[in-house]
Amino acid sequence: MADDIPFERRFTAVPGVVEEVAPGVRRVLAPNPGPFTFTGTCTYIVGRGEVAIIDPGPDDASHIAAVLAAVEAETVTHLFLTHTHRDHSGALAALKAATGAPTYGEGPHRAARPLHAQEVNTLDSAGDRGFLPDVALADGARVEGAGWTLAALATPGHTANHMAFVLEEAGAIFVGDHVMGWSTTVVAPPDGSMNDYMQSLRRLGQRPETLYFPGHGGVITQGPAFVERFLRHRLARETAIMRALERGPRRIPDIVRAIYFGLDPRLAGAAGLSTLAHLEDLVERGDVLTDGPAVLAGLYRLP
């Protein structure tokens, strides 16, 4: 189904090597490849002389050293975080200790909804619950630095506290994990919310900026068009779930087998959680029924 999105998986960035990806924007790739991180997390440096760092990356000594080496002759004035997954925030404490720069973000890690009775958050270990920004940013807040301005854009969905940052001088957006050029975004309850994610996608797609800097993979040059493909993909996924349920009541593993083809076995759990996210939204809208709240072990049926 993801064939409708023109993914670009030819990404040649080398971990630890500083690259200028746009005027005034440098990228340092972290050495943490994996099924959820692609070739690694992208850390960005904004400005020259007095700079901001966006998404410090994982707690990896070689990556921390590479980022600090990239700004060795400069002053780091701001540390921004798009969201509190450890592959983005793990290096934050070390960079703050080394630079003394204050941290900026939407707020602490939290779930998009409370846990249901006997529900376990299977992705709890991925969340950085120790993060508390020195400066909590509200949607629309603007932070000015030396020759750059970043505007906060709340984009909940992947996590409840996900925030993108608009680089006003470049007509570009640091989109974190909300939109990526190599894969769809994992939306996994209870941390993530499909309803929030879709609303954030629509909001992002209505903006004029075309250049997106994602948390993993290469730069996206046609942002709004890419967002439109993502929206269509998610709506097609909804339709596929509904068609699977037309054959009768089903549980999530059965639905996953019916709608995901050629799935990497390492992503089976994520596919189940993504399906749950869609079902939560469909149940809330009354398009799908289940007994009690929408949960991984639930039985789902059409009205």
Side-chain angles (χ1 to χ4, degrees):
M1 184 178 292
D3 291 344
D4 56 341
I5 303 176
F7 289 127
E8 177 55 78
R9 297 190 173 100
R10 294 172 297 176
F11 185 52
T12 59
V14 177
V17 176
V18 183
E19 295 181 275
E20 185 163 13
V21 293
V25 179
R26 288 166 282 170
R27 178 181 63 206
V28 183
L29 179 68
N32 61 325
F36 297 105
T37 56
F38 191 35
T39 60
T41 302
C42 296
T43 294
Y44 294 97
I45 303 166
V46 180
R48 290 283 181 181
E50 295 182 1
V51 304
I53 293 175
I54 299 177
D55 281 349
D59 184 8
D60 178 274
S62 65
H63 180 65
I64 293 166
V67 173
L68 290 174
V71 298
E72 185 176 10
E74 300 173 294
T75 300
V76 179
T77 58
H78 301 72
L79 296 167
F80 290 88
L81 192 63
T82 60
H83 65 293
T84 45
H85 279 156
R86 294 183 187 277
D87 60 309
H88 292 254
S89 69
L92 186 62
L95 291 185
K96 180 177 180 180
T99 66
T103 60
Y104 294 74
E106 192 271 352
H109 189 82
R110 63 187 183 279
R113 60 158 175 79
L115 284 172
H116 300 309
Q118 299 182 327
E119 184 181 22
V120 175
N121 185 349
T122 58
L123 296 180
D124 190 53
S125 62
D128 182 355
R129 297 190 178 276
F131 173 72
L132 186 66
D134 295 318
V135 180
L137 296 173
D139 182 51
R142 296 171 74 250
V143 180
E144 296 185 6
W148 54 262
T149 306
L150 289 171
L153 182 67
T155 48
H158 178 60
T159 60
N161 66 351
H162 197 286
M163 179 166 273
F165 299 103
V166 180
L167 181 58
E168 295 183 351
E169 290 78 7
I173 308 179
F174 297 92
V175 291
D177 284 2
H178 193 68
V179 177
M180 297 178 290
W182 71 283
S183 175
T184 56
T185 297
V186 173
V187 180
D191 284 1
S193 162
M194 188 60 68
N195 182 274
D196 289 347
Y197 181 73
M198 294 292 281
Q199 290 188 45
S200 295
L201 270 183
R202 294 185 180 101
R203 184 184 187 205
L204 191 63
Q206 291 169 357
R207 295 189 60 88
E209 295 85 7
T210 59
L211 192 63
Y212 291 177
F213 300 117
H216 306 276
V219 175
I220 299 168
T221 59
Q222 299 294 327
F226 218 78
V227 166
E228 181 59 33
R229 295 288 189 101
F230 268 61
L231 283 166
R232 277 188 262 162
H233 168 78
R234 289 296 184 179
L235 292 173
R237 186 71 75 197
E238 277 190 11
T239 299
I241 290 172
M242 299 289 283
R243 286 178 178 167
L245 293 176
E246 286 175 358
R247 304 185 195 111
R250 291 195 175 206
R251 300 189 187 276
I252 285 177
D254 300 322
I255 298 172
V256 168
R257 283 190 289 270
I259 66 176
Y260 285 90
F261 304 101
L263 181 67
D264 184 335
R266 296 175 299 172
L267 301 177
L273 288 168
S274 182
T275 301
L276 172 61
H278 276 292
L279 287 165
E280 280 188 344
D281 193 23
L282 289 166
V283 168
E284 185 176 344
R285 285 151 42 191
D287 294 330
V288 170
L289 300 179
T290 188
D291 296 326
V295 294
L296 275 172
L299 182 67
Y300 297 89
R301 61 189 185 276
L302 296 180

